[in-house]
Each structure stands twice: as C-alpha cells, then as structure tokens.
Amino acid sequence: MNLGELTIEEFHQGLVTKKFTALEAVQNLFNHIKKTDKKIGAYLSLDEDGAIKSTEEVDIKISKGESISILAGIPMAIKDNILIKNLPATAASRILENYKASYDASVIKKLKEEQAVFIGKTNMDEFAMGSSTENSSFHITHNPHDPKRVPGGSSGGSAAAVASGQALAALGSDTGGSIRQPADFCGLVGLRPTYGAVSRSGLIAMASSLDQIGPIAKTARDAAILARAIYGKDSMDSTSVGLDLGGDILNPKLKDIESITIGLPIEYFPKEINKDISKGLEMVSQEFKNLKVNFKKISLPHTKYAISSYYIILPAEVSANLARFDGIRYSRIKNKESDNLKKLYFSQKTSGFGTETKRRVILGTFVLSSGYYDDYYKKAQQMRAIISKEFEEVFHEVDVILTPTSPTPAFKIGEKIADPLAMYMSDMFTIPSSLAGLPAISIPTGHKTEEGLPTSFQLIGKKWADATILKIGQLYEKTIGTEGKTAF
Amino acid sequence: MELARLEIDGREEEKLLKDLQKIVGYFDELKELDIESTEPMTGGTDLNNVFRDDKDKQGTNLGSGTNGFPETNDDNFLKIPPVFE
C-alpha cells in the first residue's frame, strides 16, 4: 500500500498504533515518488536524507510511548517559493537556479516544531505567475487525473504531489487563486487564508498585498489541521494578525449551519457556464438545502472589473519585488558574467527570467510610469476598494458566498499558454476575493466529468471567518460521504 | 525595457508588443467608469502604523542575508563588478 494516500489522521493512527514507523513511511513514499514522478513532474528537488533524518526523533518518541503532535512524521511537499533552510528555493526561475535558502520561512519553523517531515520542493509557475504550472523554467507538471492536462497553477506541483499520493499534504501560496485553482483541478481541498492570518516571512514575494501561504490537502479536515499549525501573528511579518481558529475547528456541528445563509452571486453563474461545473454546483446546493441551509441570490456588480484591477496591481508589485533578483544578492547564472555592474544586471535578468515574468515586469513598469499611473494603477486601486466594499455590504445579508472555483475543469497542456489574456481569465472566480483579502476554500463537489475530471466549489467567508468556511467544508464532506476519504 | 533592465530581441519584442497591446486594451474598460471620488485601496490590510519598541533586538535570521551572497570577499562583504566603466 502507498502510505501517501492516507489522510493526516489515518497516518497518525498508523504511527501511534505502530503499523509502520515514520522512517518506513518516508522510505515507502520515496519509492513511490521514484516510480511515479517521471510521469507527473511534481517536484523540483527532493530531500531524502533530510526527510529520513527528521523521522528519527519521531520514532524515538513513539517507541518510548511519548505523545506526539498530530503532524509529527507527516510527509509534506512544499512549494518552491517557500524557504527551508539549506534547501534550494528557485521559485521555478533560472535566476535562482543556484540559490539555497539561508533561513526557514515562519510557516516552516512552525511545522518543524510539530515535527512534520519535508519530502521536497514542488514545481510551480515561475515566481507563482501563471495558472497552469507551464511557466516553470525547468519542466511542466502533469495532472494525475489525466496526464494530458495541466494540474492548475501556480501551486500545480504541490497539488499534483498530493493527488498522486507523493505527499500527505502540501503548502502552496495563493495570490489570485494559486492554491484554490490547482486544488480544484486535482480534486483536492485548497485554503486561502484571510490576508494576514498566516505569516509571509520566508515566502519569495510576488505581489505582497495579495500573497498568502495556505494548505493543499485531501480533505477539509486535513486543511483545518494544517491551518491550526501555520496560522498566527509573527513579528517577522508586520501585516500578520493573531487569529484564533477556535477549539472546535475539528468538531463542526450540523446545528451550527442550520441558521446560516449562503449567498449565490449572479455574476459567478453566467449562462454560458461549463455544464459539468454547473451540475457540480447544483449538487452542492441541493446537499446544503437538505441540511436546511438558507440560500439567497445576491449581486456583486463590479466583479467583471476584478481581472483588470488585479492584472494592473499585480504586475506593479511584481516589477518592484523582482528588482532584487539581479545576479548580485541571491544567486548568479554562470557564463553570464560581466565586467560592469549594469551589463551584469541586463545579462542576468534577460537570461534568468522567463517569458511571462518579463511580460509582467514590463507591464508593471509601464502602469507605474509617470503619465500612465493615474489611468491604470490608481484606477485599479480604486476598483479594488469598490470590490472590497461590495463584499463587505453583501456580508450584512449572507454569512458565506458559494461560487464555482474555476470556469472549467482542468484544461489541456498547451491550450492557453500562447494567449496570456485567456490564461488570466481562468482566475476570474478566485481573483475578486483575493483583492478583498477574504478567506476562501475550494472543495471537490463530488461530481466528475465523463473524462473523470474533478469539479469544485468555492466558499468565500467574511474577513477572519476562516474557521466558518473550514467547518462548512468538513460538514459537506460528511454529508456526501467523502469525510476522511481521498477523492481518488 | 531600460527601466526593467531587460533586453528583448526582435522576434520576442513583436510577440510581447502584441500581447501587451491586447492586455492593456482590455484594461481600458476601467477608463469608462467614473470612480474618481473613491479612495484607492493601497494594500492588502487595513492595519496602520505597526510599531515596535525602539530597542536593540537580535535578529533571528542573523547572517542569513550575507550567507546567501553568490560572491563575497574574506570579510563577508558582497563582491560586485565595477559600477563605472
């Protein structure tokens, strides 16, 4: 049996009842990875020695009969833009090809305290720019449900690793949907926390006002277990806020949701919506209706402007954040040396950045340049304020918002890569809540297409109501009978 | 390109120009709106002025910046090519 298919609680039970040791589990998993990852391409680098070493203490504790954390010994995959000390952190970019992280991200510090085990660093779109993981500078990643299709992005490697049983759970980062959309495409649960709920220290920044780290897991319950471990205020990230998820986060009660109202925004259910997505969503609504949840049609009229607003603000922040990668401070590409500083900048950046990254850096430089600032950047920020306010207002009438996660199931490799605008549109349902800084979770509906591709729904919560959407997600899994079971 | 410190060759430039025209053209939908009176949202958080006490503090990541330099001299100074020709 491949132990990577277990949920966190099943794995924990296996450890404490001595069905297997943490070491055996890691060895089992690496065998599975060596057999499967040539076809999937989920990982950019593996750390077998480090993973084996970190199981030692866990196994000693168990053999002595001491209690262990629920995350102790749990093999996890980590997106390559999150720093683990002494391991490569390339963010799938050539410009960081030779970089090794010199400190742990705050979320990694927290997981190390729980004695989680890190298997390796996962593939992604370069610097998290993309929705298909095709923008990785190293290789593409295939969707485990259909290798001809993309796993989504930008956290596509993390999602593919979990969906193919190469890790029990993973961390990704979500700027405009980069956790939720790959979780959707791979039949998993993906949580984007409220902006500020999780420290960004040690996350290679793309767009600082939007980036958040979050879990990709097989079930909402696993996502909640991980959330409990990584949430919290951190002095290294002054935008972080201490949020208590509550002692009952893993014990949601049906009566808690009987009186809630779920909002269905008309803008997220266009007439031309994909028929499988629509079928999945109908199924979800019916299940919730059976649980006596109230529904209300709502309107968020400025939703259609979210893509423009986002794809102006994001490149603007990208162009500032990526200025630091100059071949001087982090790593240097060999054979692109120069005897003069300015020439070195040009040669390093030109050969180090991929097409989409260059496109966004140039776009960002443009929207911020004098003469265009008012027309683009300022307008985008004003639109962001309007979209945020609109959410705030509807949350007086409803408790959570239910939408599709993506307009389509996983698309084919190569289908959208030549048309950046078409690729940007695939984030249309995840971007608005990102702009507003709201928590959102993607959960499989249970309905699959004829080709066997998963479909998902998204729950958007009020600011800091991360626990609410995690609980509703767990109750949904209980209702349709996938609780504690993996979707594959 | 000069601002972004990027060199783009002829063929790449053609494709890039076409893509950017399409993308920026799409953004023009914002121009049709009268939203001048709205206060822009300038970040992801509504927190203001996060201060800490003005005291000595030992950083937890001490040395980690300099450890990562690709090229240093014996004193751990960052080594760079000449700035002036």
Side-chain angles (χ1 to χ4, degrees):
Chain A
M1 184 200 181
N2 169 27
L3 298 174
E5 286 173 17
L6 301 177
T7 64
I8 291 175
E9 275 171 331
E10 286 167 348
F11 188 97
H12 178 72
Q13 276 307 313
L15 274 183
V16 294
T17 57
K18 300 187 181 164
K19 280 198 185 115
F20 49 82
T21 65
L23 174 65
E24 284 163 2
V26 161
Q27 287 168 333
N28 172 290
L29 213 61
F30 273 98
N31 282 335
H32 178 64
I33 291 169
K34 279 165 200 162
K35 271 187 266 169
T36 54
D37 207 37
K38 275 199 186 91
K39 277 187 194 155
I40 303 282
Y43 287 96
L44 284 175
S45 59
L46 292 165
D47 182 28
E48 191 166 358
D49 293 344
I52 286 173
K53 200 158 181 296
S54 53
T55 62
E56 278 171 21
E57 254 183 80
V58 178
D59 283 332
I60 290 172
K61 269 191 174 176
I62 294 169
S63 67
K64 282 188 189 160
E66 288 172 30
S67 71
I68 55 165
S69 148
I70 187 154
L71 288 172
I74 301 292
M76 288 188 66
I78 305 294
K79 190 176 183 180
D80 205 32
N81 59 352
I82 299 171
L83 308 190
I84 303 179
K85 193 173 178 174
N86 297 329
L87 294 188
T90 67
S93 180
R94 290 269 170 219
I95 207 158
L96 287 174
E97 195 169 18
N98 302 311
Y99 177 64
K100 280 207 167 83
S102 47
Y103 65 99
D104 280 328
S106 293
V107 290
I108 296 297
K109 269 187 210 157
K110 281 172 174 272
L111 289 172
K112 279 186 175 174
E113 280 163 23
E114 308 277 333
Q115 297 189 301
V117 171
F118 305 118
I119 296 292
K121 306 294 296 292
T122 55
N123 200 13
M124 54 187 283
D125 288 296
E126 184 179 17
F127 290 110
M129 295 180 207
S131 314
S132 67
T133 313
E134 290 166 291
N135 290 331
S136 166
S137 305
F138 302 107
H139 56 77
I140 60 168
T141 298
H142 300 267
N143 190 315
H145 294 273
D146 176 359
K148 290 191 298 295
R149 292 176 189 269
V150 301
S154 65
S155 311
S158 286
V162 179
S164 56
Q166 296 178 341
L168 256 78
L171 288 186
S173 66
D174 189 310
T175 306
S178 283
I179 286 175
R180 292 163 283 166
Q181 186 252 24
D184 169 10
F185 283 11
C186 292
L188 301 166
V189 173
L191 170 72
R192 174 190 168 87
T194 301
Y195 182 83
V198 176
S199 168
R200 287 178 292 112
S201 172
L203 171 70
I204 297 175
M206 169 164 72
S208 308
S209 78
L210 294 152
D211 296 341
Q212 273 292 283
I213 295 174
I216 293 178
K218 290 165 195 150
T219 63
R221 198 171 172 79
D222 280 1
I225 292 171
L226 282 164
R228 218 172 38 174
I230 62 172
Y231 273 52
K233 187 173 168 59
D234 176 22
S235 61
M236 303 297 284
D237 174 1
S238 55
T239 62
S240 69
V241 173
L243 172 65
D244 185 5
L245 289 168
D248 58 346
I249 182 75
L250 296 177
N251 292 304
K253 303 269 181 335
L254 269 178
K255 69 169 174 49
D256 296 344
I257 64 166
E258 267 177 13
S259 55
I260 68 162
T261 303
I262 293 182
L264 297 171
I266 50 172
E267 291 78 9
Y268 287 71
F269 295 89
K271 275 199 196 82
E272 64 280 10
I273 193 168
N274 174 286
K275 68 174 181 9
D276 281 298
I277 302 289
S278 155
K279 210 168 164 188
L281 265 289
E282 274 167 33
M283 205 177 107
V284 175
S285 309
Q286 195 51 51
E287 293 292 346
F288 279 125
K289 275 178 193 152
N290 295 346
L291 298 177
K292 296 186 190 136
V293 170
N294 305 308
F295 279 91
K296 188 169 185 181
K297 278 220 165 102
I298 53 170
S299 175
L300 296 159
H302 288 86
T303 300
K304 75 178 194 109
Y305 298 107
I307 296 220
S308 284
S309 170
Y310 177 84
Y311 278 104
I312 292 169
I313 292 170
L314 178 125
E317 294 189 29
V318 162
S319 71
N321 271 329
L322 265 54
R324 63 168 68 87
F325 301 110
D326 51 9
I328 296 287
R329 282 167 288 179
Y330 299 95
S331 88
R332 190 171 299 172
I333 305 165
K334 294 199 176 77
N335 305 322
K336 298 282 174 192
E337 309 279 350
S338 176
D339 52 6
N340 160 303
L341 188 65
K342 197 171 163 191
K343 279 188 199 152
L344 181 77
Y345 287 158
F346 272 95
S347 70
Q348 289 284 317
K349 282 173 182 281
T350 301
S351 56
F353 289 152
T355 310
E356 179 64 16
T357 303
K358 284 180 189 159
R359 193 153 46 217
R360 292 200 196 180
V361 167
I362 290 168
L363 192 56
T365 321
F366 167 73
V367 297
L368 288 177
S369 56
S370 62
Y372 296 101
Y373 183 95
D374 281 351
D375 274 348
Y376 295 105
Y377 189 61
K378 192 176 160 210
K379 272 244 153 71
Q381 287 188 316
Q382 286 168 321
M383 184 47 69
R384 186 178 184 181
I386 291 170
I387 288 168
S388 285
K389 187 107 196 299
E390 220 163 67
F391 272 113
E392 226 171 88
E393 278 162 11
V394 299
F395 276 129
H396 292 305
E397 301 168 40
V398 300
D399 301 288
V400 289
I401 296 172
L402 173 74
T403 79
T405 306
S406 313
T408 63
F411 47 87
K412 293 212 168 92
I413 290 169
E415 195 179 319
K416 297 188 178 180
I417 195 72
D419 184 354
L421 197 57
M423 189 73 92
Y424 294 174
M425 294 297 173
S426 62
D427 302 329
M428 60 199 283
F429 296 150
T430 48
I431 279 177
S433 52
S434 282
L435 285 171
L438 302 171
I441 190 167
S442 176
I443 297 171
T445 62
H447 169 72
K448 286 190 177 176
T449 69
E450 276 172 25
E451 300 100 320
L453 300 173
T455 63
S456 302
F457 65 100
Q458 173 178 234
L459 290 173
I460 303 170
K462 294 178 186 172
K463 219 174 224 184
W464 311 117
D466 304 41
T468 308
I469 55 173
L470 279 165
K471 282 185 193 164
I472 298 174
Q474 291 175 71
L475 288 168
Y476 182 73
E477 288 173 347
K478 212 176 222 170
T479 310
I480 64 162
T482 55
E483 186 200 24
K485 281 194 211 126
T486 53
F488 36 89
Chain B
M1 313 284 173
E2 179 70 23
L3 266 176
R5 298 279 193 262
L6 288 169
E7 274 165 57
I8 309 286
D9 67 34
R11 261 183 57 199
E12 219 181 341
E13 188 174 341
E14 214 175 289
K15 163 94 171 91
L16 190 72
L17 209 65
K18 246 168 83 186
D19 286 342
L20 289 179
Q21 274 166 350
K22 204 169 150 191
I23 296 166
V24 175
Y26 186 82
F27 295 161
D28 282 346
E29 66 173 13
L30 291 181
K31 284 192 185 159
E32 64 192 55
L33 296 166
D34 182 19
I35 51 176
E36 265 323 294
S37 57
T38 310
E39 192 63 33
M41 181 170 165
T42 53
T45 167
D46 10 330
L47 294 173
N48 278 314
N49 300 339
V50 179
F51 292 123
R52 65 171 175 82
D53 292 339
D54 186 18
K55 282 186 199 148
D56 281 358
K57 202 174 133 196
Q58 178 94 26
T60 48
N61 294 332
L62 196 68
S64 56
T66 48
N67 293 344
F69 288 159
E71 204 180 353
T72 51
N73 72 359
D74 297 339
D75 300 322
N76 232 5
F77 279 109
L78 173 61
K79 213 171 149 186
I80 60 167
V83 177
F84 303 105
E85 285 178 68

